[in-house]
Amino acid sequence: MIAALTTRWTLLVPILAALVLAVTWGRDIPGVVVVVVSAVLVGAVLSAVYHAEVVAHRVGEPYGALILAVAVTVIEVALIVTMMISGGDKAASLARDTVFAAVMITCNGIVGLVLLVGALRRRIAVFNPEGTGAALATVATLATLSLVLPTFTTSKPGPEFSPAQLAFAAVASLALYGLFVMVQTVRHPDDFLPVEASGAIDEDEGMHAELPSNRIALTSLGMLVLALVCVVGLAKVVSPALESGIASAGLPQAAVGVVIAMLVLLPETLAAVNSARRNQVQIGLNLALGSAMASIGLTIPVIAIATIWLSGPLVLGLGATQMVLLALTVVVGTLTVVPGRATLLQGGVHLALFAAFVFLAASP
């Protein structure tokens, strides 16, 4: 395994992606170059997944899933703020659209894929309902406080928070996310480890494979950060082409946030599916729900601070269609989590909700 960890392409691709990002950043690029940049973007995603798995294997679970979720989300937040600064009033709903897209992608798209792959692997996907239920409850609370309440507050016209309400939502989001991380890593880490059908912690031999050295782990950590920066940066480089293509197709502006969220979450999606293929469904669910949680718990506080210098409105409240999808996601997610095991049906239901989200984002 140690020899595999030093695979040369995983070291070269992030460096190539960084060079391409440096050459194309801030420039209008023709269609042929967009194709090349997109190919490099896919390579950076695959490299990020590889190095994330190396780091996760070195530090162990649940820290490994936490590292990838936080790393991706921090860079995603930076991308949102950058685009809001340059987008003006057109970007008023960008934070809402991107965060909601991240929640639907993770809680339905990634969760559905993980359960589907896990059920195909062992007929029944088994996970820990205590840890998964705690994560889902935290996601539901964060989403309601930050994305649903602004639609019903009366301090300002439209689906917006007043400054005091935004400050409360930011502090509450950060506090809840910090509390969950403490529970996940310090107080009850066993609730977030893979389990067997009997409920005992899974002693899968893959989890006891030879650990990479500190040097290899640190190298992979550096390559992971570089690859994630390149993923987000290259996503921004190709976003003008995406925006023009979406506008030409007559799709709504919110579809841009959906596409960008999908690109940014590709590393976590592939890592989660790989975990499910190794019969570690719990790790895949940790990645999915942890990413949804981090997307809200870190984005809202940063956006609240950014409003100090951002001009224009900040629209956070969801519309009626989005709230229905969110409520259905929470209900279905709860019914999925409670038994601690799922079949192909549960995976299919979540994927159907994800398909409905994508369809309604394109045709509201």
Side-chain angles (χ1 to χ4, degrees):
M1 179 175 178
I2 297 301
L5 296 179
T6 58
T7 303
R8 184 170 299 177
W9 75 268
T10 63
L11 301 176
L12 295 179
V13 168
I15 297 173
L16 174 62
L19 292 175
V20 172
L21 179 60
V23 171
T24 57
W25 182 260
R27 300 182 182 181
D28 293 328
I29 55 178
V32 176
V33 180
V34 170
V35 174
V36 174
V37 172
S38 300
V40 175
L41 172 61
V42 172
V45 167
L46 296 174
S47 176
V49 173
Y50 178 87
H51 291 295
E53 291 180 343
V54 173
V55 174
H57 186 58
R58 183 67 182 88
V59 301
E61 291 298 329
Y63 299 97
L66 181 64
I67 288 174
L68 181 58
V70 172
V72 170
T73 305
V74 167
I75 300 172
E76 178 188 358
V77 170
L79 176 61
I80 293 173
V81 173
T82 300
M83 296 183 70
M84 288 186 69
I85 292 174
S86 60
D89 289 345
K90 292 192 304 181
S93 63
L94 179 63
R96 178 200 66 187
D97 294 337
T98 306
V99 170
F100 180 66
V103 171
M104 297 304 292
I105 291 168
T106 53
C107 292
N108 286 319
I110 301 180
V111 167
L113 284 173
V114 167
L115 296 179
L116 191 69
V117 172
L120 286 172
R121 181 78 174 175
R122 284 188 173 178
R123 296 182 62 85
I124 295 178
V126 181
F127 50 87
N128 194 322
E130 284 81 5
T132 309
L136 180 62
T138 308
V139 170
T141 302
L142 288 172
T144 302
L145 289 177
S146 301
L147 301 177
V148 176
L149 286 183
T151 303
F152 299 99
T153 54
T154 58
S155 299
K156 295 188 70 175
E160 301 177 44
F161 271 145
S162 68
Q165 291 167 342
L166 181 60
F168 171 80
V171 172
S173 297
L174 193 60
L176 271 177
Y177 181 67
L179 179 61
F180 176 82
V181 171
M182 186 270 290
V183 169
Q184 183 185 34
T185 58
V186 179
R187 299 284 292 184
H188 303 283
D190 288 351
D191 288 349
F192 302 89
L193 296 177
V195 295
E196 298 176 339
S198 62
I201 295 177
D202 190 359
E203 299 293 340
D204 185 82
E205 62 179 3
M207 298 180 67
H208 297 283
E210 182 182 1
L211 291 176
S213 66
N214 288 334
R215 180 181 64 83
I216 292 177
L218 288 174
T219 300
S220 284
L221 180 61
M223 289 294 104
L224 171 62
V225 173
L226 178 61
L228 290 175
V229 170
C230 293
V231 167
V232 178
L234 293 175
K236 181 170 173 55
V237 168
V238 300
S239 62
L242 288 174
E243 291 177 358
S244 61
I246 287 172
S248 300
L251 298 175
Q253 183 69 22
V256 177
V258 175
V259 174
I260 292 176
M262 286 182 174
L263 289 174
V264 172
L265 288 170
L266 259 180
E268 289 167 306
T269 302
L270 294 178
V273 172
N274 285 340
S275 296
R277 290 176 58 190
R278 294 192 298 268
N279 298 326
Q280 297 172 357
V281 173
Q282 183 64 52
I283 296 177
L285 296 179
N286 289 347
L287 278 167
L289 297 176
S291 298
M293 203 180 310
S295 183
I296 306 173
L298 298 180
T299 300
I300 299 303
V302 172
I303 295 299
I305 296 173
T307 54
I308 296 174
W309 67 83
L310 286 175
S311 58
L314 175 63
V315 176
L316 287 178
L318 298 175
T321 302
Q322 295 169 318
M323 283 190 283
V324 169
L325 285 174
L326 179 61
L328 187 56
T329 296
V330 173
V331 172
V332 171
T334 302
L335 296 175
T336 298
V337 166
V338 168
R341 57 184 64 209
T343 64
L344 290 173
L345 177 60
Q346 282 85 0
V349 169
H350 282 280
L351 289 176
L353 280 174
F354 174 67
F357 160 70
V358 174
F359 176 77
L360 292 173
S363 180

